[in-house]
Amino acid sequence: GAVVSQHPSRVICKSGTSVKIECRSLDFQATTMFWYRQFPKKSLMLMATSNEGSKATYEQGVEKDKFLINHASLTLSTLTVTSAHPEDSSFYICSARDSGQVDQETQYFGPGTRLLVL
Amino acid sequence: GQNIDQPTEMTATEGAIVQINCTYQTSGFNGLFWYQQHAGEAPTFLSYNVLDGLEEKGRFSSFLSRSKGYSYLLLKELQMKDSASYLCAPMDSNYQLIWGAGTKLIIKP
């Protein structure tokens, strides 16, 4: 149980284009999902908290208009990197909390999406 | 401020036992998680401690002392596949996980 998928697993795009990453909870419902970014050998950095049916909460320094988050259903959140630049190249990982569990605090991670912007 | 202190790297032998320590300071506390992260992959959940004491789960055990701001992850009967980074992540008063760089564990035959 508690499986989270991400798509795509790897994407290469040209500078200036937009990239959409999907995060799905496969066997549970997730009111809350999280989007992280991780650079090589660095710690996870929380970008935003995605809440189903409402606007995402962004961390300080994360541009809302650049990283668009949509959490339209209890099993799907999407992150769109708009007008991507080489400095956006990173490992993007989503996680989700199981809304139906008594212990709702555990975050289950998707496998991550490796983005390379040329 | 909020911070986590874990050793950067540890080395252990296959079949042995290793203890990875973590001290933390957070604004409020709502439990502590341990995650395993293999190189190039996303973290996977290992344990969650919210009360003081030891939680055992197979070869892995996790201990928490809230008064000391201290936790450890104990790995027994080490296997080569246990080579990974181990992330100690306390949860603050806003239910946000605080992440450090983790401990890279190297297992030698």
Side-chain angles (χ1 to χ4, degrees):
Chain A
V3 179
V4 177
S5 70
Q6 262 182 262
H7 178 80
S9 58
R10 189 180 297 265
V11 59
I12 301 173
C13 69
K14 292 182 179 178
S15 186
T17 60
S18 294
V19 174
K20 180 189 279 189
I21 303 170
E22 291 186 350
C23 177
R24 292 180 187 273
S25 55
L26 297 185
D27 51 359
F28 64 96
Q29 293 186 328
T31 306
T32 305
M33 291 184 172
F34 303 87
W35 286 97
Y36 291 89
R37 183 165 54 179
Q38 187 176 35
F39 293 103
K41 298 185 180 180
K42 299 292 184 183
S43 61
L44 287 163
M45 287 172 42
L46 179 65
M47 298 175 67
T49 302
S50 168
N51 299 294
E52 186 268 334
S54 63
K55 291 183 180 178
T57 305
Y58 289 80
E59 294 301 300
Q60 198 170 9
V62 178
E63 298 174 56
K64 300 178 185 181
D65 295 331
K66 181 168 181 62
F67 298 100
L68 301 177
I69 291 172
N70 184 281
H71 192 158
S73 79
L74 286 172
T75 59
L76 173 64
S77 176
T78 60
L79 168 69
T80 302
V81 183
T82 62
S83 187
H85 287 97
E87 57 265 30
D88 298 323
S89 299
S90 187
F91 190 38
Y92 290 85
I93 316 172
C94 73
S95 69
R97 283 189 185 147
D98 185 344
S99 308
Q101 269 195 358
V102 173
D103 157 24
Q104 296 180 20
E105 310 311 332
T106 302
Q107 292 184 30
Y108 299 96
F109 285 84
T113 297
R114 206 162 290 284
L115 171 64
L116 176 62
V117 184
L118 301 176
Chain B
Q2 309 200 100
N3 82 291
I4 296 164
D5 193 21
Q6 291 180 247
T8 305
E9 189 173 295
M10 297 181 71
T11 303
T13 305
E14 191 177 15
I17 299 173
V18 71
Q19 177 174 311
I20 302 174
N21 295 321
C22 169
T23 56
Y24 61 88
Q25 287 180 314
T26 55
S27 302
F29 181 75
N30 281 299
L32 184 143
F33 292 83
W34 283 94
Y35 284 86
Q36 180 191 61
Q37 187 175 25
H38 284 99
E41 298 181 10
T44 54
F45 169 72
L46 290 178
S47 67
Y48 173 50
N49 293 63
V50 65
L51 299 176
D52 288 353
L54 186 68
E55 296 268 349
E56 297 187 68
K57 196 187 283 187
R59 294 190 298 116
F60 294 1
S61 303
S62 55
F63 172 84
L64 175 66
S65 169
R66 289 171 297 174
S67 62
K68 295 181 180 177
Y70 167 69
S71 175
Y72 68 72
L73 181 69
L74 189 72
L75 295 79
K76 303 176 186 175
E77 300 168 20
L78 287 169
Q79 301 175 10
M80 297 304 292
K81 67 179 182 179
D82 297 330
S83 292
S85 287
Y86 290 86
L87 312 177
C88 163
M91 181 175 284
D92 68 11
S93 58
N94 293 320
Y95 292 91
Q96 278 206 3
L97 291 177
I98 310 302
W99 299 94
T103 297
K104 182 178 179 181
L105 177 63
I106 299 168
I107 310 296
K108 294 187 174 179

